[in-house]
Amino acid sequence: MAPMKLYGMALSPNVVRVAAALNEKGLDFEIVPVDLRTGAHKQPEFLALNPFGQIPALQDGDEVLYGNCSTDTAPSSALESRAINRYIATKYKSQGPDLVPTPSAKLEVWLEVESHHFYPAVSPLVFELLVKPMLGGAPDAAVVDKHADALGKVLDVYEAHLAQNKYLAGESFTLADLNHMPYLLYLSKTPKAELVAARPHVRAWWEDIATRPAFQKTVAAIPFPPSA
């Protein structure tokens, strides 16, 4: 069977999210670079694959799944990295860890919490503190303060929940945990890593999931700049 093809920028958190799921399942894949900075996602070759010009995109045999946005900052659409991960976890349910045990109300709740509460708070922090400096810009202190406060309040909820649960959906690692990992990784490379470190149960959870062999394999493929 030919390797799956994951199209996108290897530094993109959305690409990292899908790569992490593929590695958890032990699936063979390759990352096909699509450089947004040069407009590669708008070129005919890529548009023939995904007419919306979005990343990430995953090609699994004859199936092509589209990503969520062309900039990593646009609102999510119906089929993006989280939905691609749901596809992977469902289609390959019996391979590797079961990331979507059913029925699981906790799983569904925490998948929604990640996309509607965690992501909107953490994404601007990562952009301001990690992405902007990579592009030669300076963080906007007001934006940082606003979203650090918002993320702190979100993580207080996580702290209380994780005091009673090893993982978000209970006692086993699931897609709810995995979908958090890219932005937790990127946050850990900023001064606001203290938001996780200051909460012992959140910190223990992150240290647990961050050291999973599949995620370590994923991280090894991310081309971080030397200063990141």
Side-chain angles (χ1 to χ4, degrees):
M1 182 177 179
M4 296 186 203
K5 292 182 178 181
L6 175 57
Y7 294 84
M9 297 178 71
L11 264 173
S12 162
N14 289 328
V15 172
V16 172
R17 182 181 286 120
V18 175
L22 291 167
N23 281 324
E24 279 290 344
K25 288 296 186 178
L27 297 168
D28 191 16
F29 73 98
E30 60 178 312
I31 294 179
V32 180
V34 179
D35 194 339
L36 304 184
R37 296 166 296 186
T38 63
H41 58 304
K42 297 300 183 182
Q43 297 303 308
E45 182 180 0
F46 186 71
L47 291 175
L49 176 75
N50 178 0
F52 296 106
Q54 301 168 331
I55 69 161
L58 180 68
Q59 186 169 14
D60 180 12
D62 294 332
E63 294 278 359
V64 178
L65 296 100
Y66 301 153
N68 74 323
C69 61
S70 58
T71 64
D72 264 2
T73 58
S76 296
S77 64
L79 188 57
E80 39 91 27
S81 61
R82 295 173 183 86
I84 293 172
N85 276 3
R86 172 79 78 163
Y87 163 86
I88 293 166
T90 303
K91 180 173 180 179
Y92 299 97
K93 186 177 178 67
S94 63
Q95 185 167 334
D98 185 358
L99 299 176
V100 285
T102 52
S104 176
K106 280 186 180 179
L107 171 62
E108 300 303 330
V109 166
W110 285 95
L111 286 170
E112 293 297 309
V113 170
E114 184 275 326
S115 62
H116 294 290
H117 296 281
F118 175 79
Y119 170 76
V122 73
S123 177
L125 282 177
V126 168
F127 180 76
E128 293 292 333
L129 296 172
L130 193 63
V131 178
K132 263 193 178 179
M134 287 181 186
L135 300 175
D140 183 322
V143 174
V144 171
D145 289 346
K146 174 184 176 181
H147 289 282
D149 181 65
L151 182 59
K153 291 175 181 176
V154 170
L155 291 179
D156 284 342
V157 176
Y158 281 60
E159 179 68 10
H161 179 72
L162 290 166
Q164 304 297 324
N165 299 272
K166 184 176 181 180
Y167 299 103
L168 293 175
E171 294 306 304
S172 63
F173 177 82
T174 68
L175 197 58
D177 305 290
L178 187 148
N179 280 354
H180 286 77
M181 295 168 80
Y183 276 100
L184 284 170
L185 172 66
Y186 283 51
L187 183 68
S188 74
K189 296 183 176 296
T190 77
K192 293 304 177 181
E194 65 190 28
L195 292 169
V196 170
R199 294 165 172 83
H201 295 99
V202 174
R203 182 178 69 246
W205 167 66
W206 167 234
E207 290 173 349
D208 180 347
I209 64 177
T211 55
R212 292 179 67 84
F215 193 60
Q216 289 297 302
K217 182 178 180 180
T218 304
V219 172
I222 302 173
F224 286 115
S227 60

